[in-house]
Amino acid sequence: MGRYVIRRLLQMIPVFIGATLLIFLMVNVMGDPVAGLCGDRQCDPATAAQLRKEFGLDKPVWQQYATYMGNVFTGDFGTAFNGQKVTELMSTAFPVTIRLTVVAILFEIVIGILLGVVTGLRRGRPVDTGVLLVTLVVISVPTFVTGLLLQLLLGVKWGWISPSVSSEAPFDELIVPGLVLASVSLAYVTRLTRTSIAENRRADYVRTAVAKGLPRRRVITRHLLRNSLIPVVTFIGTDIGALMGGAIVTERIFNIHGVGFQLYQGILRQNTQTVVGFVTVLVLVFLVANLLVDLLYAVLDPRIRYA
Amino acid sequence: MLLEVRDLHVEFRTRDGVANAVNGVTYSVDEGETLAVLGESGSGKSVTAQAVMGILDTPPGKITAGEILFRGQDLLKFKEEERRKVRGAQMAMIFQDALSSLNPVLSVGAQLGEMFTVHRGMSRKDAKAKAVELMDRVRIPGAASRVGDYPHQFSGGMRQRIMIAMALALEPALIIADEPTTALDVTVQAQVMDLLAELQRELDMGLILITHDLGVVADVADRIAVMYAGRIVESAQVHDIYKAPAHPYTKGLLESIPRLDQKGKELYAIKGLPPNLLHIPPGCAFNPRCPMAQDVCRTDVPPLYEVTGAGPDRRSACHFWRECLDG
Amino acid sequence: MPEPPVPPEQPTPPQRPLRSMPPGPHLSGGGRAPEDGAIAATGMGGAMDLATEEGASLGKPPGPDAGGPQDRPRSLWSDAWRDLRRNPVFIVSALVILFLVVISLWPSAIASGNPLKCDLAKSQEGSQPGHPFGFNGQGCDVYTRTVYGARVSVTVGVCATLGVSILGSVLGGLAGFFGGVWDAILSRITDVFFAIPVVLGGLVLLSVVTSSTVWPVIGFMVLLGWPQISRIARGSVITTRQHDYVQAARALGASNSRMLLRHITPNAIAPVIVVATIALGTYISLEATLSFLGVGLKPPTVSWGIDISSASQYIRTAPHALLWPAGALAVTVLAFIMLGDAVRDALDPKLR
């Protein structure tokens, strides 16, 4: 197991470098990092050149990247052009997005799995068909439309929630945004659980459990669920990274000052350091989540043995 | 009588129509007795067993008629909860493929111990001790150290022993073994079969052995019931049937066993295919494949005739059982 | 009776059951160690995950009664077609898609107005004779714009899917067929792309593009979408390559190119088609999301994404301006998902 973890960590390195380099190139080569500095006016050439030198932008790109990564590993994500430290922005933005993601994951676990189990056990009945249809509709409507509509109905028309989230973003204000963020994954978790349950329901070991004279409840929870949820749990785990990266749309709709908001601002103002810094952390989160999921997999399914 | 199945009918509703899987099966097993149920796949032998255990998939399956008397009580009239208490405790089943029939993510100890915690209300610790005891009993080497292992860590033969241990856990009065050795290597088959037979004698249990392997039957069974298209076509004491079959289907089965003294001759095979359960032929279901078929076979369903003069308590569902016995 | 000594234990080799995501085909192909399935989620959202799962389950080898080697592709597809013709879900979604294609080619057939002709005086007005869907914030006719918006959305979806499918299946297929170093490199490259959240990548990449045509958006989708298909194609090819009849063809001395074209492609392409169909819907949805974030298509292009995005400012007073294009978008995406679903069911030998 230990050797496996080390091998996986080593494998993560090229992926990490590749992904961050890709983003670094996109931001630095395709955009002009200096252009954002002079506001709406055109920079005059002399100032631009001086700024370039100051930020090391006159050096070759690979050297810039190496310097940047070197700094990142000493905890220095650089400074946004407005003088604020990028780490400072992170320390305010990440807790908000993490809270939002936690709410979304909880929705996926509680509602998604529940619906999936119910429909999987009642395959072909009206409740199954109904839920399946709803999941398809949820998947088909883009998240930002779902978000706008929920905001309009719950926030404006019925006044159940405040249409925008305050800057502290406590958990109770994040319930509806969390649901919006989770919606598509939620529908997918439902379908995945349903398929998995329906498939395993006919499995030989479930028949054995019934033949052993176990109560129906125990057959379902201990034998059927335990096996059926393995792919679901792994999906939810890998979804963490995707949710944090995808929160940008939800955060924009509900005016949540999280990672997505900072990134959006960074991109609009061509704030290279902010963008690359945030994306680097997101990529790391994604990779670590995937690693944890693989280890979890081994715990849940004893057939997997890592040499 | 321990178990009596009387005139059992089971059908399956499929997209293409109603499949009559079991059409009036009648058989019985006494304590300490071994009944071998013989037949091709699709003959209804497993479906009958699942109906007896009460683990038939309903829907699509449905028991449409018949009685299953266990110690004189009709199980089909039981409520589900009463039925559940019988399962595992008083009758147990051993399945063909132990790898898929054991839960892959639970240790074998947990799966064995479950019998005791659920049916006997034992503590987990006591249940685990019982599990080790059971594994010892089916001669799994190093039972105490392997009780926490998972099914995939055992070899095929060892896994089938665990299945047997699980079935024996509460010392039920009746065991149904559905092709218990088919999935095993030939060398292991005999070991597992001997173990099962030995434990059966020890505990004086009734055993229903479902198989298509005539070799296994000759060694362990007391009685044989041959099934074809959801019906019993012949039932008799084991040596009587080997001596002289009273049904052309049984005869065909016996003649298709390869024997050393036949070397060089062509092996006999029953011609044709097993019937489609959606469209069972009228009259005797075996008539299209039967070398002795007459017109009456194509019109009249043969009743289960009492066969006389060729062993006790013997029956055959052939209009011409006398001719069959003689020829 | 004393038993003979017990033979040494032969533990069953670990079998990794089908995981929800792309590892599926790789596993059945046997070409992937568990650790390679590290990056599993697609990051493209549930619909894309749905797509990959559907494709993945097709990659499993067919049952024993799948017919002879030579006529297998033909019978598989003709059987599938026979199933599809009787499937109402397929018929309805195919008709919806056909209708969309027709109105993207000839929008004026059902909408006589000009989508760019707007009258600010009628801003946010509701439904009225001749203008069934009402007017949007700029006073443009919502009906006309919704009809004309189909063209761009369908164009983006179709072009992106074509690009992704061709690039992805060629790269993935070749890597799966030849294996070795190139396969390993390709796997790592796809991992890199999976690690970048799609919407984020779109924001970064498209924010610096000034062109107002659809091509940058399509290019971006191809750039970030191909690894998806490449994984499916790779797994599918590996599975197919191991089938007995392909091994037989190799033993008979068939050349690589003949094996690829004659034996592997017809059998390995089914999962790719299913995933691509569903992906098409998700690309249309992604275009709308990017437009909403202000980096996708830009006016004067007429697209559902742009209209939904601009209508979102007036959602409290004129929700109809948002609901009509959003509804059209949802129906389109749904149609492609259902179509892919139906095709998958028809191609799955297990369900027969």
Side-chain angles (χ1 to χ4, degrees):
Chain A
M1 195 74 165
R3 275 183 55 198
Y4 170 74
V5 174
I6 291 171
R7 200 166 72 220
R8 281 299 318 276
L9 283 170
L10 288 177
Q11 274 182 349
M12 275 165 58
I13 293 173
V15 178
F16 176 76
I17 293 177
T20 47
L21 183 64
L22 204 62
I23 288 290
F24 196 84
L25 288 178
M26 281 184 192
V27 174
N28 281 286
V29 176
M30 306 202 53
D32 180 4
V34 183
L37 290 180
C38 313
D40 295 332
R41 289 172 292 117
Q42 192 78 26
C43 283
D44 80 88
T47 325
Q50 202 204 328
L51 281 169
R52 273 178 204 287
K53 205 172 170 86
E54 194 182 320
F55 288 104
L57 297 173
D58 51 347
K59 301 215 180 72
V61 176
W62 65 266
Q63 210 172 334
Q64 289 180 42
Y65 176 77
T67 317
Y68 179 78
M69 277 299 144
N71 290 337
V72 163
F73 279 101
T74 57
D76 176 15
F77 280 86
T79 329
F81 285 122
N82 66 358
Q84 225 179 338
K85 280 220 171 287
V86 173
T87 43
E88 232 169 80
L89 289 179
M90 285 179 182
S91 68
T92 56
F94 267 99
V96 174
T97 297
I98 288 172
R99 278 203 290 275
L100 183 64
T101 309
V102 167
V103 174
I105 297 276
L106 283 179
F107 270 116
E108 282 182 28
I109 293 173
V110 177
I111 299 183
I113 292 182
L114 191 73
L115 285 179
V117 171
V118 169
T119 52
L121 291 176
R122 289 182 175 62
R123 204 168 179 176
R125 308 262 186 88
V127 58
D128 175 38
T129 320
V131 171
L132 265 191
L133 216 64
V134 172
T135 58
L136 273 183
V137 171
V138 169
I139 290 175
S140 308
V141 180
T143 316
F144 72 93
V145 175
T146 318
L148 287 170
L149 290 179
L150 277 184
Q151 185 187 39
L152 177 72
L153 286 179
L154 302 178
V156 181
K157 285 255 161 79
W158 301 337
W160 292 359
I161 56 158
S162 132
S164 69
V165 175
S166 62
S167 54
E168 293 85 42
F171 272 112
D172 57 325
E173 289 184 17
L174 291 176
I175 290 175
V176 174
L179 181 63
V180 171
L181 178 60
S183 59
V184 175
S185 297
L186 179 64
Y188 181 69
V189 167
T190 304
R191 294 179 70 97
L192 188 61
T193 312
R194 173 184 177 274
T195 315
S196 183
I197 290 263
E199 225 166 66
N200 282 311
R201 222 183 126 192
R202 300 242 174 267
D204 288 350
Y205 62 80
V206 173
R207 189 183 59 185
T208 309
V210 176
K212 280 159 89 175
L214 306 183
R216 184 178 151 83
R217 208 187 159 75
R218 192 179 170 93
V219 172
I220 291 175
T221 52
R222 193 168 162 81
H223 292 272
L224 182 54
L225 267 185
R226 178 72 207 273
N227 282 277
S228 307
L229 289 187
I230 292 173
V232 180
V233 169
T234 50
F235 169 76
I236 292 178
T238 48
D239 202 33
I240 293 174
L243 285 177
M244 288 184 76
I248 200 159
V249 175
T250 315
E251 293 189 357
R252 192 159 144 71
I253 293 170
F254 292 95
N255 192 32
I256 301 167
H257 290 205
V259 171
F261 174 82
Q262 293 294 352
L263 265 171
Y264 194 71
Q265 296 296 324
I267 289 167
L268 279 190
R269 308 223 163 105
Q270 300 204 336
N271 237 336
T272 322
Q273 306 267 5
T274 318
V275 176
V276 179
F278 273 82
V279 175
T280 303
V281 175
L282 285 178
V283 168
L284 263 184
V285 169
F286 180 82
L287 291 175
V288 171
N290 271 288
L291 176 67
L292 290 180
V293 163
D294 261 28
L295 299 184
L296 189 66
Y297 207 94
V299 174
L300 290 175
D301 191 338
R303 282 168 294 184
I304 310 300
R305 283 290 132 104
Y306 299 115
Chain B
M1 196 56 83
L2 180 64
L3 177 85
E4 275 187 273
V5 178
R6 285 189 191 158
D7 195 31
L8 188 74
H9 286 74
V10 181
E11 60 181 39
F12 283 87
R13 288 169 193 282
T14 67
R15 240 187 354 184
D16 304 319
V18 175
N20 297 298
V22 177
N23 306 299
V25 164
T26 300
Y27 62 56
S28 62
V29 193
D30 216 337
E31 272 148 21
E33 188 187 28
T34 299
L35 170 74
V37 180
L38 208 69
E40 296 164 307
S41 49
S43 60
K45 52 197 196 315
S46 293
V47 174
T48 310
Q50 287 176 9
V52 171
M53 282 299 290
I55 56 169
L56 206 60
D57 278 331
T58 48
K62 191 171 191 290
I63 297 174
T64 48
E67 288 176 319
I68 298 171
L69 301 176
F70 185 69
R71 292 188 162 131
Q73 285 179 298
D74 187 357
L75 291 178
L76 295 177
K77 296 205 172 75
F78 275 35
K79 291 202 180 65
E80 174 52 32
E81 180 60 15
E82 295 168 332
R83 193 78 194 273
R84 175 182 77 70
K85 286 182 176 147
V86 175
R87 276 201 292 269
Q90 298 185 51
M91 57 169 72
M93 191 153 173
I94 298 167
F95 296 99
Q96 177 178 343
D97 182 0
L99 180 60
S100 65
S101 297
L102 290 168
N103 192 327
V105 303
L106 294 178
S107 70
V108 296
Q111 294 185 60
L112 288 169
E114 200 173 33
M115 300 296 287
F116 299 99
T117 53
V118 170
H119 286 281
R120 298 276 186 268
M122 276 190 196
S123 72
R124 280 197 186 194
K125 203 176 140 222
D126 294 348
K128 192 179 167 190
K130 277 284 194 183
V132 177
E133 208 176 286
L134 275 173
M135 286 168 71
D136 260 334
R137 188 160 195 180
V138 295
R139 304 200 199 99
I140 290 173
S145 63
R146 302 214 62 184
V147 71
D149 283 359
Y150 293 89
H152 72 270
Q153 291 167 291
F154 291 87
S155 65
M158 289 296 137
R159 273 198 291 266
Q160 197 54 279
R161 282 162 201 259
I162 290 164
M163 275 303 309
I164 293 173
M166 199 185 293
L168 292 173
L170 305 176
E171 308 199 346
L174 175 71
I175 295 238
I176 302 175
D178 190 351
E179 313 226 0
T181 57
T182 311
L184 301 176
D185 287 347
V186 180
T187 48
V188 185
Q189 277 183 0
Q191 295 172 16
V192 169
M193 211 52 238
D194 287 344
L195 175 74
L196 186 61
E198 186 191 323
L199 291 165
Q200 183 223 358
R201 272 195 302 279
E202 221 174 275
L203 299 169
D204 198 32
M205 298 178 300
L207 172 65
I208 298 178
L209 180 66
I210 298 169
T211 182
H212 58 246
D213 185 343
L214 285 155
V216 170
V217 172
D219 290 341
V220 297
D222 300 313
R223 291 182 55 78
I224 291 186
V226 181
M227 283 187 74
Y228 187 82
R231 225 171 246 184
I232 303 275
V233 292
E234 182 171 5
S235 72
Q237 302 280 347
V238 69
H239 37 267
D240 293 335
I241 228 168
Y242 277 85
K243 215 180 291 162
H247 194 284
Y249 176 61
T250 319
K251 200 172 171 183
L253 284 180
L254 290 174
E255 280 171 7
S256 53
I257 304 175
R259 282 198 309 260
L260 284 175
D261 59 0
Q262 275 183 324
K263 201 174 169 192
K265 290 181 209 153
E266 199 172 323
L267 193 60
Y268 179 81
I270 303 175
K271 63 177 179 161
L273 295 168
N276 179 347
L277 294 177
L278 295 169
H279 308 284
I280 294 177
C284 174
F286 187 59
N287 83 68
R289 304 171 73 185
C290 183
M292 301 169 65
Q294 309 280 322
D295 284 346
V296 64
C297 302
R298 286 181 265 276
T299 50
D300 293 5
V301 178
L304 205 52
Y305 294 104
E306 186 124 2
V307 175
T308 48
D313 194 13
R314 184 159 186 190
R315 286 165 183 281
S316 164
C318 180
H319 294 298
F320 303 101
W321 59 269
R322 280 175 218 279
E323 288 79 352
C324 192
L325 268 181
D326 297 340
Chain C
M1 184 191 82
E3 268 202 311
V6 179
E9 296 287 279
Q10 292 171 331
T12 315
Q15 280 181 322
R16 195 174 214 213
L18 180 68
R19 203 163 146 181
S20 56
M21 283 333 108
H26 306 311
L27 289 172
S28 46
R32 244 178 162 221
E35 65 267 23
D36 278 348
I39 290 159
T42 59
M44 298 272 270
M48 201 59 228
D49 295 327
L50 180 80
T52 41
E53 193 212 347
E54 304 254 303
S57 58
L58 265 186
K60 293 179 195 162
D65 40 19
Q70 280 303 326
D71 33 280
R72 218 196 114 234
R74 196 186 305 140
S75 72
L76 179 72
W77 288 101
S78 61
D79 278 5
W81 174 235
R82 214 188 50 221
D83 272 20
L84 284 174
R85 273 184 319 195
R86 288 184 306 186
N87 183 350
V89 173
F90 171 78
I91 294 171
V92 170
S93 47
L95 284 178
V96 169
I97 290 166
L98 195 69
F99 175 71
L100 277 165
V101 171
V102 169
I103 65 164
S104 341
L105 292 174
W106 302 285
S108 52
I110 60 162
S112 51
N114 177 351
L116 298 174
K117 203 181 118 222
C118 307
D119 182 359
L120 267 178
K122 293 191 168 170
S123 170
Q124 303 185 31
E125 274 181 32
S127 171
Q128 49 188 259
H131 303 281
F133 295 178
F135 295 89
N136 70 9
Q138 286 82 41
C140 315
D141 179 47
V142 175
Y143 173 72
T144 311
R145 285 188 68 93
T146 304
V147 171
Y148 274 81
R151 174 181 286 177
V152 169
S153 295
V154 170
T155 308
V156 168
V158 169
C159 292
T161 307
L162 278 180
V164 164
S165 307
I166 293 169
L167 189 63
S169 49
V170 167
L171 285 177
L174 290 177
F177 185 73
F178 291 106
V181 181
W182 291 108
D183 184 31
I185 293 177
L186 188 85
S187 289
R188 287 285 93 76
I189 293 178
T190 52
D191 282 354
V192 167
F193 280 92
F194 278 118
I196 298 174
V198 173
V199 178
L200 214 61
L203 265 179
V204 173
L205 196 65
L206 294 174
S207 63
V208 294
V209 175
T210 46
S211 158
S212 65
T213 62
V214 296
W215 299 111
V217 175
I218 293 171
F220 153 75
M221 286 174 181
V222 174
L223 181 70
L224 262 77
W226 71 265
Q228 202 73 55
I229 298 281
S230 116
R231 272 201 179 173
I232 296 289
R234 174 182 176 276
S236 179
V237 165
I238 288 176
T239 311
T240 312
R241 198 181 55 181
Q242 286 168 343
H243 285 169
D244 291 343
Y245 65 89
V246 179
Q247 297 295 351
R250 185 185 288 275
L252 290 173
S255 67
N256 275 342
S257 58
R258 184 182 162 77
M259 300 242 311
L260 261 175
L261 290 177
R262 181 99 183 82
H263 297 288
I264 296 201
T265 310
N267 291 292
I269 205 154
V272 173
I273 288 179
V274 170
V275 176
T277 310
I278 297 178
L280 205 157
T282 67
Y283 292 145
I284 293 179
S285 183
L286 181 61
E287 177 268 308
T289 305
L290 291 172
S291 297
F292 170 72
L293 291 173
V295 293
L297 304 174
K298 293 169 187 71
T301 310
V302 182
S303 94
W304 293 331
I306 294 172
D307 282 13
I308 299 170
S309 173
S310 64
S312 65
Q313 298 158 34
Y314 311 101
I315 186 169
R316 292 176 195 193
T317 47
H320 62 268
L322 181 138
L323 288 176
W324 288 111
L329 177 68
V331 168
T332 308
V333 178
L334 192 60
F336 279 105
I337 293 179
M338 303 269 252
L339 187 80
D341 214 34
V343 172
R344 192 205 72 98
D345 283 354
L347 286 173
D348 192 343
K350 270 188 313 181
L351 296 177
R352 285 254 165 70

